[in-house]
């Protein structure tokens, strides 16, 4: 059980740090321009916290746990990327389907970011679990 707690903590820290840099500095203006009036003036921090807490459970279950079973960090990387693509794709493609004015460019960038971010967090979580678990 300890190994999964270590994996969770490390993946969560990596995910939050990278996403904070992405959303706060790298792509902040991109999201603002793409979403326009769809973007809330302030984020709902309770909903954001719930997302991060729940999402990292999925990262551990669908990417890190299989990687620990196989002993291969590449399993964490590939499974994390696929999980991220599917999860972010669910959000973005649903928005494309039902939200007026949701931009295709936004969906493509966000899905790509979800795959990269989740692959990174899963890989960090795997290595932390192997080292400290």
């Amino acid at each position: 059980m300890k190994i999964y707690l270590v994996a969770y903590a490390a993946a969560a820290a990596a995910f939050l740090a990278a996403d904070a840099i992405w959303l706060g500095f790298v792509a902040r203006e991109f999201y603002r321009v793409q979403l326009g009036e769809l973007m809330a003036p302030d984020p709902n921090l309770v909903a954001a916290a719930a997302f991060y807490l729940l999402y990292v459970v999925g990262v551990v279950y669908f990417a890190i746990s299989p990687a620990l079973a196989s002993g291969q960090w590449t399993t964490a990387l590939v499974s994390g990327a696929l999980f991220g693509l599917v999860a972010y794709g669910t959000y973005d493609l649903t928005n494309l389907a039902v939200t007026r004015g949701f931009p295709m460019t936004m969906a493509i960038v966000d899905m790509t970011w979800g795959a990269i971010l989740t692959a990174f967090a899963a890989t960090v979580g795997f290595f932390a679990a192997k080292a400290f678990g």
Side-chain angles (χ1 to χ4, degrees):
M1 184 60 149
K2 178 185 171 193
I3 196 167
Y4 294 107
L5 294 175
V6 169
Y8 184 92
F15 193 92
L16 285 169
D19 212 26
I21 292 167
W22 174 256
L23 294 173
F25 302 103
V26 176
R28 178 170 54 179
E29 192 58 29
F30 170 78
Y31 282 90
R32 192 176 319 243
V33 168
Q34 290 293 308
L35 292 176
E37 292 183 16
L38 294 173
M39 189 167 178
D42 296 306
N44 179 332
L45 296 180
V46 173
F51 163 75
Y52 285 114
L53 290 170
L54 181 62
Y55 191 80
V56 177
V57 169
V59 174
V60 171
Y61 187 84
F62 293 111
I64 299 172
S65 181
L68 291 170
S70 73
Q72 301 294 316
W73 69 270
T74 53
T75 301
L77 180 78
V78 172
S79 296
L82 183 59
F83 178 66
L85 179 64
V86 169
Y88 277 63
T90 299
Y91 168 79
D92 288 305
L93 296 173
T94 298
N95 275 324
L96 279 172
V98 301
T99 303
R100 185 181 332 207
F102 194 83
M104 174 68 78
T105 302
M106 170 74 190
I108 292 168
V109 169
D110 199 50
M111 289 168 59
T112 302
W113 173 243
I116 292 167
L117 174 61
T118 308
F120 169 69
T123 304
V124 169
F126 169 81
F127 281 119
K130 292 288 280 186
F132 302 108

